[in-house]
Amino acid sequence: MIEQVDNANRSRIGVDVGGTKIEAVRLDASGLVCESARIPARPGNEAVIEDIVSAAARVCGGDFQHVSSIGIGTPGRVDHRTGHVDNIVNLSVTSLDMGPLVEACTGVATHVENDVNAAALGAAAVLGGTQGLPGTVAFLNFGTGLAAGLVQDGAVLHGFSGAAGEVGHIPVEPHRFKCPCGQYGCLETVCSGSAVARLWPEADPAMPDLIRRARKRESKAVDVLDMVVRAIGDTIQIVAQSVDPDVIVLGGGMAKTGKPLVEVITSELRRREGQCRFLAGLDLPGRLRLAPLDRPVGAIGAAVAV
């Protein structure tokens, strides 16, 4: 009985590994953030492990005895079963037993999850309160790349090989730009944050300026925005018709554009509905939500990942 009480009072730590920073949170027994910390990220295997452990230690005062679990959300190819990670390009990591090494340093059970999946869990938790959002949640990460995190009743949908949600590399975009993955016409080549910056290099960040100038009917801006928003519409439609989520959360750097981004996406989806009774019945605009950008959803999601 005493052990059960102790476990109930233990907290969980979540760590979000990024290309430039590592952010950690500690959740109390009720799932609320009670501590947070952020440190710069350094490249290399040893530095990444040291920094994850350091960030985690900061949110628990260096005392891991009262921590029940550590969750890590990271870029790269993640084997969530073993905690092994390959190819974190921005941190010069090609192969790393991240989970086992962090667990060895802290003595705490450690789980590693893809960063978009972790953000999907975090967004579902924040938007839905302590119980999370019910049903299926699709988190579309319009960041440097493009990917979706899929959560069903609080659990990540990984698929057979862990590739569920990799919509950015579906080669259906008609301009057929070369993608770093080797294909041509991947959705990521047009509607990721890096793609928009390439297509509209006149401002940083690109998306707010692109929308503003397109609304002024500047022809070049209109053409580029049309290309980007059509690809976003394709992405949303592919995800919606594949997994039929209750909620579609827009996240990543492009989502910082906020309401203007939702407005142009909604306009594109309504245009499609006007041509297709089937789509009109799905009411995809009604399912859209913006990710809570003022909350560390990546770290929160890592903490609740199992």
Side-chain angles (χ1 to χ4, degrees), residues 226-300:
D226 182 69
M227 183 191 311
V228 171
V229 174
R230 284 177 184 268
I232 293 174
D234 289 343
T235 302
I236 291 173
Q237 199 171 328
I238 287 168
V239 170
Q241 292 176 229
S242 299
V243 297
D244 198 18
D246 301 66
V247 177
I248 301 169
V249 182
L250 308 177
M254 280 172 58
K256 294 178 181 179
T257 305
K259 184 179 178 181
L261 178 64
V262 176
E263 289 173 346
V264 295
I265 294 174
T266 296
S267 178
E268 169 64 15
L269 295 176
R270 293 298 187 204
R271 181 190 67 80
R272 296 180 184 212
E273 287 179 352
Q275 301 171 346
C276 176
R277 186 175 298 176
F278 166 71
L279 284 178
L282 299 181
D283 186 26
L284 298 183
R287 307 190 201 188
L288 298 181
R289 303 286 189 278
L290 276 173
L293 301 176
D294 60 338
R295 302 288 299 280
V297 294
I300 292 172

Side-chain angles (χ1 to χ4, degrees), residues 73-260:
T74 178
R77 183 179 179 185
V78 177
D79 186 334
H80 69 280
R81 295 172 290 263
T82 66
H84 185 84
V85 183
D86 291 316
N87 301 320
I88 310 178
V89 177
N90 290 336
L91 294 179
S92 301
V93 170
T94 56
S95 180
L96 179 62
D97 281 328
M98 182 179 286
L101 289 171
V102 171
E103 188 166 327
C105 292
T106 63
V108 179
T110 300
H111 176 81
V112 184
E113 188 60 77
N114 170 269
D115 57 346
V116 177
N117 289 340
L121 283 167
V126 172
L127 291 172
T130 56
Q131 300 301 315
L133 290 173
T136 303
V137 177
F139 180 92
L140 299 184
N141 189 70
F142 296 101
T144 302
L146 168 63
L150 305 174
V151 174
Q152 187 170 47
D153 296 326
V156 172
L157 299 178
H158 294 101
F160 173 73
S161 64
E166 291 290 351
V167 292
H169 296 298
I170 297 177
V172 295
E173 209 290 314
H175 293 86
R176 311 303 293 171
F177 296 123
K178 179 71 179 290
C179 181
C181 80
Q183 300 184 100
Y184 291 84
C186 291
L187 287 168
E188 183 173 296
T189 64
V190 170
C191 65
S192 62
S194 58
V196 175
R198 173 179 54 81
L199 294 167
W200 191 257
E202 301 186 29
D204 182 22
M207 199 67 186
D209 183 70
L210 176 60
I211 293 173
R212 179 180 61 83
R213 292 171 66 172
R215 285 175 170 171
K216 291 183 176 180
R217 308 307 301 169
E218 296 184 23
S219 60
K220 181 180 178 182
V222 169
D223 291 342
V224 172
L225 184 62
D226 182 69
M227 183 191 311
V228 171
V229 174
R230 284 177 184 268
I232 293 174
D234 289 343
T235 302
I236 291 173
Q237 199 171 328
I238 287 168
V239 170
Q241 292 176 229
S242 299
V243 297
D244 198 18
D246 301 66
V247 177
I248 301 169
V249 182
L250 308 177
M254 280 172 58
K256 294 178 181 179
T257 305
K259 184 179 178 181

